[in-house]
CSV table of all heavy atoms in Angstrom, one decimal:
chain,number,residue,atom,x,y,z
B,150,PRO,N,-27.0,19.5,17.3
B,150,PRO,CA,-28.0,19.5,16.2
B,150,PRO,C,-28.8,18.2,16.2
B,150,PRO,O,-28.2,17.2,16.2
B,150,PRO,CB,-27.1,19.6,14.9
B,150,PRO,CG,-25.8,19.9,15.4
B,150,PRO,CD,-25.7,19.5,16.9
B,151,GLY,N,-30.0,18.3,15.9
B,151,GLY,CA,-30.9,17.1,16.0
B,151,GLY,C,-31.5,16.8,17.4
B,151,GLY,O,-32.2,15.9,17.5
B,152,GLY,N,-31.0,17.4,18.4
B,152,GLY,CA,-31.5,17.1,19.7
B,152,GLY,C,-32.7,17.9,20.0
B,152,GLY,O,-32.8,18.6,21.0
B,153,THR,N,-33.7,17.6,19.2
B,153,THR,CA,-35.0,18.4,19.4
B,153,THR,C,-35.7,17.9,20.8
B,153,THR,O,-36.3,18.8,21.3
B,153,THR,CB,-36.0,17.9,18.3
B,153,THR,OG1,-35.7,16.6,17.8
B,153,THR,CG2,-35.8,18.8,17.0
B,154,THR,N,-35.6,16.7,21.3
B,154,THR,CA,-36.1,16.4,22.5
B,154,THR,C,-35.6,17.2,23.7
B,154,THR,O,-36.4,17.8,24.5
B,154,THR,CB,-35.8,15.0,22.9
B,154,THR,OG1,-34.4,14.8,22.8
B,154,THR,CG2,-36.5,14.0,22.0
B,155,HIS,N,-34.1,17.5,23.6
B,155,HIS,CA,-33.6,18.2,24.7
B,155,HIS,C,-33.8,19.8,24.5
B,155,HIS,O,-33.7,20.5,25.5
B,155,HIS,CB,-32.1,18.0,24.7
B,155,HIS,CG,-31.9,16.6,25.5
B,155,HIS,ND1,-32.5,15.5,25.1
B,155,HIS,CD2,-31.3,16.3,26.6
B,155,HIS,CE1,-32.2,14.5,25.9
B,155,HIS,NE2,-31.4,15.0,26.9
B,156,ARG,N,-34.1,20.3,23.3
B,156,ARG,CA,-34.5,21.7,23.3
B,156,ARG,C,-35.7,22.0,24.0
B,156,ARG,O,-35.8,22.9,24.8
B,156,ARG,CB,-34.8,22.0,21.7
B,156,ARG,CG,-33.7,22.0,20.8
B,156,ARG,CD,-34.2,22.1,19.4
B,156,ARG,NE,-34.9,23.3,19.2
B,156,ARG,CZ,-34.4,24.4,18.6
B,156,ARG,NH1,-33.2,24.4,18.2
B,156,ARG,NH2,-35.0,25.6,18.5
B,157,THR,N,-36.7,21.1,23.7
B,157,THR,CA,-38.0,21.3,24.5
B,157,THR,C,-37.8,21.2,26.0
B,157,THR,O,-38.4,21.9,26.8
B,157,THR,CB,-39.0,20.2,23.9
B,157,THR,OG1,-38.8,20.2,22.5
B,157,THR,CG2,-40.5,20.6,24.3
B,158,MET,N,-37.1,20.1,26.4
B,158,MET,CA,-36.8,19.9,27.7
B,158,MET,C,-36.1,21.1,28.5
B,158,MET,O,-36.6,21.5,29.5
B,158,MET,CB,-36.0,18.6,28.0
B,158,MET,CG,-35.8,18.2,29.5
B,158,MET,SD,-34.8,17.0,29.8
B,158,MET,CE,-33.1,17.6,29.6
B,159,MET,N,-35.1,21.6,27.9
B,159,MET,CA,-34.4,22.6,28.5
B,159,MET,C,-35.1,23.9,28.5
B,159,MET,O,-35.1,24.8,29.5
B,159,MET,CB,-33.0,22.8,27.8
B,159,MET,CG,-31.9,21.7,28.0
B,159,MET,SD,-31.8,21.2,29.7
B,159,MET,CE,-30.6,22.3,30.4
B,160,GLU,N,-36.0,24.1,27.5
B,160,GLU,CA,-36.8,25.3,27.5
B,160,GLU,C,-37.8,25.2,28.6
B,160,GLU,O,-38.0,26.2,29.4
B,160,GLU,CB,-37.4,25.6,26.2
B,160,GLU,CG,-36.4,26.2,25.2
B,160,GLU,CD,-37.0,26.7,23.8
B,160,GLU,OE1,-38.2,26.0,23.5
B,160,GLU,OE2,-36.5,27.5,23.3
B,161,ARG,N,-38.2,24.0,28.9
B,161,ARG,CA,-39.3,23.8,30.0
B,161,ARG,C,-38.6,24.1,31.4
B,161,ARG,O,-39.2,24.5,32.3
B,161,ARG,CB,-39.9,22.4,29.9
B,161,ARG,CG,-40.7,21.9,31.1
B,161,ARG,CD,-41.9,22.8,31.4
B,161,ARG,NE,-42.6,22.4,32.7
B,161,ARG,CZ,-42.2,22.9,33.9
B,161,ARG,NH1,-41.2,23.7,34.0
B,161,ARG,NH2,-42.8,22.6,34.9
B,162,LEU,N,-37.3,23.7,31.4
B,162,LEU,CA,-36.6,23.8,32.7
B,162,LEU,C,-36.0,25.2,32.9
B,162,LEU,O,-35.2,25.5,33.8
B,162,LEU,CB,-35.5,22.7,32.8
B,162,LEU,CG,-36.0,21.4,32.9
B,162,LEU,CD1,-34.7,20.4,32.9
B,162,LEU,CD2,-37.0,21.0,34.0
B,163,GLY,N,-36.5,26.1,32.1
B,163,GLY,CA,-36.2,27.6,32.3
B,163,GLY,C,-34.9,28.0,31.6
B,163,GLY,O,-34.3,29.0,32.1
Side-chain angles (χ1 to χ4, degrees):
Chain B
T153 31
T154 52
H155 280 59
R156 292 170 61 102
T157 318
M158 181 184 85
M159 289 314 271
E160 285 189 330
R161 169 61 188 81
L162 295 180

